[in-house]
Amino acid sequence: MPNATTARLSRRGLLAAGGVLGLGAVLTACGDDDAKDGGADTKGSAKTGPWTFKDDRGTTVKLDGTPKNIVAFTGVAAALYDYGVEVKGVFGPTTTKDGKADVQAGDMDVSKVTVLGNVWDQFNVEKYAALAPDVLISTMFDDAGTLWYVPEASKDKIAKLAPSVGISVFDRQLTAPLQRMWELAESLGADMTAAKVTEAKKRFEAASERLRKAAKAKPEIKVLVGSASPELFYVSGSNLSIDLEYFKALGVNFVEPTEEAKKATGGWFESLSWENVDKHKADVIMMDDRSSAIQPADITEATWKQLPAVKAGQVIARSTEPILSYDKCVAPVEALAEAIEKAKKVS
């Protein structure tokens, strides 16, 4: 989270701030309806012959063979890694200040990939060109086809070096981009019949059913989704974000910011001063786990410590930008299910 208030951040820079729970909604929406519905098709051969993939912009990428020199947003690379597809270069939060793997890097060995940029608006075009990329892959947090973490200033130069693939994580349930990443990994040669892969999907489905039952058994439990910065506390609405839309569909009772409060951020979240952090009543709080946000253990504000959910120890982490493999999406679903199962009504 940068040391700047929401008001001082640029419209696009705001999307990358740790406090922006839903991320990129303040950009112009003008998407392809078929792509929004997750209806893009996938074709290709991992062994021989041409490779073709239609992404969520409705753009079809065609290559003579399956891409080998892949460059991807860190979270995308982490998902592909879980399916056995490794990339050459990454951009986005990859390493922490102490050199360890960022939470968004998943299980990747970050020492074995070329990091083109570790923070927002950082992308080394020269290093990218040196990798001789076959394709660049990222997520999209709007309907305008904006590739996440590809800088506005250098996007045209980057686009000339290799075709790109965009996977939408905007205004749909988690299962849709999970399926799209599955299809992409399969097209890139992943063995989607491997036991590790199929078992992870079964565990995700079981975790989802557990959450559905927990939410149904305790509909009175209110869940607030937050993110902390030095200046402000952000409360996310349940629309637009893939994880929250999915959890809501499973029956989770979310605290919702007022519509008026969300207007300034395109419907994503509400900004509160620390003095007003108790505006919304909640029984469970999910907190942004990204390295750009202040983590609960490091929050020193007295108003935070007095929140009933905090005093009751009913605070859990939220994977604000889920790694889109079934393996990585099991834990967040299970954690929320367990939190609701154990939660006491404190609001």
Side-chain angles (χ1 to χ4, degrees), residues 44-110:
S45 169
K47 296 179 180 179
T48 60
W51 181 82
T52 302
F53 189 85
K54 185 177 180 181
D55 75 0
D56 290 341
R57 298 169 298 185
T59 299
T60 300
V61 177
K62 298 180 180 180
L63 299 174
D64 291 339
T66 304
K68 301 299 180 184
N69 294 342
I70 302 170
V71 173
F73 171 67
T74 304
V76 170
L80 292 176
Y81 182 88
D82 285 350
Y83 290 130
V85 178
E86 298 189 20
V87 307
K88 293 291 182 68
V90 297
F91 54 96
T94 307
T95 59
T96 57
K97 292 180 179 179
D98 58 6
K100 296 181 179 179
D102 188 274
V103 64
Q104 291 184 251
D107 293 333
M108 280 195 303
D109 184 344
V110 296

Side-chain angles (χ1 to χ4, degrees), residues 10 61 84 148 153 156 171 179 204 212 222 232 235 237 240 264 273:
S10 68
V61 177
W148 191 232
D156 292 339
D171 195 16
Q179 178 61 28
F204 174 81
R212 187 194 303 276
K222 294 182 179 180
L232 298 168
V235 178
L240 306 182
S273 66

Side-chain angles (χ1 to χ4, degrees), residues 35-36 56 138-140 142-143 166-170 172 177 242:
K36 178 180 173 60
D56 290 341
S138 191
T139 48
M140 301 180 298
D142 62 19
D143 269 345
I167 299 297
S168 181
V169 289
F170 174 66
R172 64 204 65 207
I242 56 174

Side-chain angles (χ1 to χ4, degrees), residues 129-168:
L131 291 174
D134 293 321
V135 67
L136 178 147
I137 309 171
S138 191
T139 48
M140 301 180 298
F141 283 92
D142 62 19
D143 269 345
T146 307
L147 296 174
W148 191 232
Y149 266 79
V150 174
E152 185 71 21
S154 54
K155 67 177 184 179
D156 292 339
K157 291 181 180 179
I158 293 168
K160 291 178 181 179
L161 295 170
S164 62
V165 166
I167 299 297
S168 181

Side-chain angles (χ1 to χ4, degrees), residues 11-22:
R11 285 169 67 89
R12 189 162 185 256
L14 178 63
L15 313 186
V20 181
L21 298 111

